[in-house]
Amino acid sequence: MCPTFFVSIIQAVEKLQKKFMIKFTESTMHVICNSDTNEGGVQVWSQIKISSIFSQYRIQSNSNNEISMFLSSEALLGALRSASSNPSSLTSTIGAASSGTVGPVPRDSVNSGGGGGRNGASGGGGSIETEEVIMRLTKKNDQAMLTFDISGNTRMGRAVHVMHDVRIEVMRPADAAKMIEPMCPEPDVHILLPPLQKLRTIVERLRPMSNIMAVRANANGVLQFGINTDSVKVETEWRGQVNPKTTDDEEEKTDAEKEEDLERDPDKLFTVIVSVKSFLRFLNSHVVSTSTIACICQHHCLILYVYIGGAVAEAGGVLTFYVPAVLDES
């Protein structure tokens, strides 16, 4: 298991909801934030390859070997941070079934309920250099848990065993099946964003000036971020950005639609107005992003594909953010 990578994924979405959904299948882990209580209505639907996180993996259920659960982002982050003190040496398995047990605990041990803990968990007299992390779905006193079984050594060389229990709510398969991604119109333009960390610095400077901002792009590599109020007008522009073409979209288009694309003016800008606060919450994903593609559905929404763990073609997963448009009454 690679807790550092797992931590980065959860950090990217934890500001959106206090509780979110994780779905485990035989080949992928899905992290989903789609509560109506999200400020700005931002949703996240992600798919991460199991091999990107776990070195060993086993799942078993009566529902096509799929298990969905709700859990606290804060509790999960606490457990993962405790496990990530030395990520280069970690191995892990996950056995997800209706119940499970944790093996015997060595002499020097720490038990932590609720997923507390920080980087370098303490136990047996010092911070732990982690050697192995095993994550299991367990049941304790009729409460479902994700149990993190962490083995390592203190700086003094003493073997230590730390356990973190994160309370979860296992979803019924019928309820999990009702979770459906938002339906959006065909994007008007796709464009590769600059590094998200740099973008975050720019948007942070815009935040005190306006609650909303315009995101514009065309098919000729131009990307613009701007605000326009009674007192100030600011615009930032990039040129020479890549306009990626999605193979699936091209294959599904009719000949008439392809001809229409050829006739479209590549310099025409498409616009969506979004909440600055919502966009900044998306930018929390800079901790895990390698490449990010923005898709503008004019006046409807902004779709952002955050590729993690490699370039687009070799990515270990993708976080998809849906940011709804804001009606600009001015």
Side-chain angles (χ1 to χ4, degrees):
M1 178 182 178
C2 183
T4 302
F5 190 49
F6 205 165
V7 165
S8 297
I9 293 169
I10 304 306
Q11 280 181 324
V13 301
E14 60 115 0
K15 299 296 184 183
L16 293 174
Q17 291 181 197
K18 292 183 178 180
K19 295 186 71 174
F20 61 96
M21 174 182 168
I22 293 183
K23 177 181 178 180
F24 290 103
T25 72
E26 292 181 330
S27 59
T28 56
M29 181 183 78
H30 303 253
V31 177
I32 300 170
C33 300
N34 71 336
S35 172
D36 294 334
T37 61
N38 285 350
E39 185 172 352
V42 180
Q43 294 193 30
V44 180
W45 293 74
S46 63
Q47 293 188 53
I48 299 97
K49 296 176 183 176
I50 289 297
S51 58
S52 298
I53 300 177
F54 301 102
S55 59
Q56 300 177 56
Y57 179 81
R58 178 174 60 86
I59 184 169
Q60 182 179 354
S61 79
N62 295 324
S63 181
N64 299 318
N65 289 335
E66 296 180 357
I67 299 175
S68 302
M69 61 190 71
F70 274 112
L71 68 164
S72 161
S73 57
E74 182 181 0
L76 180 58
L77 271 177
L80 290 172
R81 283 171 175 154
S82 178
S84 61
S85 59
N86 185 19
S88 62
S89 64
L90 299 178
T91 59
S92 176
T93 61
I94 173 172
S98 57
S99 62
T101 58
V102 179
V105 180
R107 178 180 52 197
D108 295 321
S109 65
V110 178
N111 238 319
S112 175
R118 291 286 181 183
N119 235 359
S122 62
S127 63
I128 298 173
E129 183 175 308
T130 309
E131 293 184 346
E132 182 181 59
V133 182
I134 299 176
M135 186 176 81
R136 295 189 179 98
L137 177 60
T138 62
K139 195 170 186 180
K140 299 181 180 181
N141 299 322
D142 292 326
Q143 171 63 56
M145 302 276 193
L146 269 185
T147 296
F148 291 83
D149 197 352
I150 306 165
S151 301
N153 296 285
T154 67
R155 292 175 182 174
M156 302 299 293
R158 177 179 293 181
V160 177
H161 199 109
V162 180
M163 293 172 59
H164 290 270
D165 291 325
V166 179
R167 293 174 179 269
I168 65 171
E169 177 186 341
V170 178
M171 298 178 65
R172 294 184 302 175
D175 293 334
K178 294 176 182 177
M179 309 287 273
I180 300 174
E181 286 193 55
M183 298 292 291
C184 298
E186 183 71 22
D188 295 291
V189 64
H190 301 72
I191 195 163
L192 192 68
L193 292 184
L196 298 190
Q197 182 64 58
K198 294 182 179 179
L199 205 55
R200 187 183 187 191
T201 301
I202 292 170
V203 178
E204 284 280 10
R205 292 173 181 170
L206 297 177
R207 179 167 59 170
M209 304 180 209
S210 178
N211 293 324
I212 59 175
M213 70 178 188
V215 180
R216 305 184 188 93
N218 66 18
N220 208 17
V222 174
L223 173 68
Q224 297 176 352
F225 280 41
I227 61 170
N228 189 0
T229 69
D230 294 337
S231 58
V232 65
K233 181 177 181 180
V234 179
E235 190 169 279
T236 303
E237 181 176 286
W238 293 262
R239 291 184 175 271
Q241 297 298 114
V242 175
N243 293 106
K245 293 188 180 297
T246 56
T247 305
D248 291 342
D249 288 346
E250 291 298 315
E251 291 177 351
E252 292 174 3
K253 286 183 177 180
T254 63
D255 291 339
E257 287 173 329
K258 291 178 181 178
E259 185 175 345
E260 183 180 340
D261 286 346
L262 292 174
E263 295 175 354
R264 179 182 291 181
D265 181 3
D267 293 321
K268 179 181 178 181
L269 288 166
F270 295 95
T271 305
V272 63
I273 296 174
V274 298
S275 159
V276 174
K277 186 178 289 187
S278 294
F279 196 79
L280 280 170
R281 289 187 172 183
F282 145 71
L283 288 174
N284 284 325
S285 61
H286 76 87
V287 296
V288 72
S289 168
T290 51
S291 301
T292 304
I293 296 174
C295 306
I296 294 178
C297 303
Q298 181 154 267
H299 307 314
H300 184 85
C301 71
L302 182 63
I303 307 172
L304 301 135
Y305 297 99
V306 179
Y307 293 90
I308 56 180
V312 173
E314 299 86 23
V318 60
L319 306 179
T320 304
F321 288 76
Y322 296 89
V323 184
V326 175
L327 180 63
D328 184 9
E329 297 179 352
S330 63

